[in-house]
Amino acid sequence: MTKAPILSVDGLRVTFRARGRTVTALRDVGFSLQAGKTLALVGESGSGKSVTSLALLGLLPPNGAVAGGNAFYRSRNGETVDLAGLSARAFRKIRGREIAMIFQEPMSSLNPLFSIGEQIGEMLDLHEDLDAATRRRRIVEMLELVEIPAAASRLSSYPHELSGGMRQRVMIALALVCAPQLLIADEPTTALDVTVQAQILELMRRLQREMGMSILFITHDMGVVAEMADDVAVMYAGAVVEEAGVGELFAAPAHPYTRGLLASIPRPDRPEGERLKAIPGAVPPLFALPRGCAFAPRCSFALPACQRRVLLMEVAARHRAACIRAQEVLADA
Amino acid sequence: MLSSVADPAPAMLKYVLNRLVGMVVVLFLVLTITFVIVRVAPGDPAALMLGPDATPQDAAQLRAELGLDQPILVQFGKFLLSAVQGDLGQSLFFRRPVLSVLAERAEPTTFLALFSLIFSIAIAVPIGIFVAYRRGGLADQGAVSTAMLAASVPSFWTGLVLQRWLATGLGWFPASGYGGPSSTFLDRMGYLILPSIVLGIVNSALILRFTRASMLDVLGEDYIRTARSKGMSEARVVLKHALKNAAIPIVTVVGLTFALLVSGAVVTERVFNIPGMGSLVVGAVLRRDYPIIQGTLIVVAALYILINLLVDLLYLLIDKRVRY
Ligand SMILES: Nc1ncnc2c1ncn2[C@@H]1O[C@H](COP(=O)(O)OP(=O)(O)O)[C@@H](O)[C@H]1O
Ligand SMILES: [Mg+2]
């Protein structure tokens, strides 16, 4: 942690208005992403990963709003901007050029009525001023970079003519064509089958080595985390409950929830026949969260004191957890 | 835009030819149906033409002259044969070829339909887009309820009210008619402004509701979020990425409103006393002028088929996934 992080989120809160009620989807999200590194944001479905990513780019649906916290982003020219309170106009300068995003659904994330070339070209048109030949060359180069075969002949293809894996490659090409500093990838391989998933992950690692961008990688898959991430932030019910380097987290989780997550992934090195341990109970709905630690009702370490607010605290070097018994959990590993 | 597809021209041509063959079949059916409807309708046209004082002999002679005494299949064969030669028969009332009578009345109706279509698209599409973007807002609620009201008020009533208020009252428009024999083209078009608005109101309501619903659907799509994530203006998100996707249902409903225009023109021409095809056909029905009724139906059907073809061709231009 010598350099300042490129993205530093603290206490981020997001609320939604739904049927006259206000629900808090993000209660307390905090993490920091080092320049050139990959931070995995991991958590069960519904824990608020997508909402976090959308909030960072100002893309929340109309009924959602950032209700507190900061997200300091260090832009290319060295300025620090708070993404948590940015105007629509200021976001337009950030999106695509500084921070780009790829989404979970490669099937529906590309506009069906515009060709691949038009959609990637539009990104260039928005942020750079290129002559026609350079523009075309940049699009073809980018498609080659994401390993689309016969790239030049693909410019006039439409999304429906491509497979899911190819579409996700196009999405990546689109996101990276203006060489953003930060790529937010929201479950980019969840909708793809396993072999394609491995190819896309490999591609993203290679592109990161070559282009040097930072990646906020969102996933619910601990296996993918192990493969992709330098650091990990674990989310539970709208809050980050643990943040650590990937090695530290896998070796010694400090939050009982993380521990449960890790125990529930199948691993070939486990003795044959050892049962996977599922976490008992279910994620509580957002409108019925318990006081204090939201995980306490499912937690074997829970104490009465867990009903008080628990903050993310340093438990070891480069390792933070939101659990009052973190030291015991660590020692128990 | 078409040049980006491999080579769509032959496929497109084949498609259009196929459609034209289909159109011929449909036209034949239309001819058959109009023929049958007109023959089974009650009342003897010869007697009607001659009036109450005519003798049965006079009537029989006229029937022979008109060919109405021949076997029905012979009548049908002759009818088809002349129809393909562009001869839709003689008007019983005007005693002139049907097509020339129709041609005389075509100008006001054509421009009435055209202006009202332009008016309704110009009003409804932008408002539909805007209120979909601001869904649930005051403008949205206002537009939706106004559209519902407009669609449920009969156009003769709207016509009479606007005629009273804007023409007779404020004098902004001529109240009725289509100018004298010496009036210029522009003068005549001036007579059509208010009727076009009246006729356009009902269609506006329909187009507005479709535009809004279609835009609402599209604005919730993932690719709209992708478009926003690229850093473009909201106007560009809505008018480029969303509108193109919403266009197919909008084009469809605009095509469908043509059917409403036909019935609307009949009413509107009556209210504003415009000598168009609408008032022609009303008169023809009252006088049992079968050839005119028949001719009008055929022309309208042919136009309808043509508009459907245009709509389908527009689909192909908008969406490359549509198969020929
Ligand atoms: N448009 C919305 N309106 C209301 N609530 C929402 C909306 N979008 C998300 N939420 C709430 O936020 C929670 C987190 O969603 P999300 O971030 O999509 O989870 P995930 O971690 O699976 O990506 C959801 O469980 C839902 O209750
Ligand atoms: Mg998600």
Side-chain angles (χ1 to χ4, degrees), chain B residues 133-151:
Chain B
Y133 186 70
R134 296 277 172 86
R135 64 181 156 287
L138 220 59
D140 186 21
Q141 288 165 16
V144 169
S145 31
T146 310
M148 223 141 86
L149 190 73

Side-chain angles (χ1 to χ4, degrees), chain A residues 46 49-51 104 186-187 218:
Chain A
K49 307 182 296 294
S50 296
V51 170
Q104 178 169 350
D186 187 359
E187 311 219 21
I218 294 173

Side-chain angles (χ1 to χ4, degrees), chain A residues 108-109 111 119 122 127, chain B residues 222 226 230 236 241 245 321:
Chain A
S108 53
S109 291
N111 194 320
Q119 297 193 53
E122 184 183 35
H127 303 296
Chain B
D222 288 347
T226 306
K230 289 162 88 171
R236 186 167 173 146
H241 288 265
N245 280 278
R321 287 168 303 175

Side-chain angles (χ1 to χ4, degrees), chain B residues 251-263:
Chain B
V251 168
T252 309
V253 73
V254 168
L256 286 175
T257 56
F258 177 74
L260 288 179
L261 281 183
V262 171
S263 56

Side-chain angles (χ1 to χ4, degrees), chain A residues 262-306:
Chain A
L262 289 172
S264 65
I265 40 171
R267 276 164 47 172
D269 57 338
R270 279 234 180 78
E272 192 85 20
E274 193 191 274
R275 295 269 318 274
L276 294 176
K277 293 183 223 80
I279 304 170
V283 185
L286 291 177
F287 53 86
L289 288 182
R291 280 160 40 82
C293 174
F295 186 62
R298 301 171 73 186
C299 179
S300 58
F301 288 84
L303 297 173
C306 292

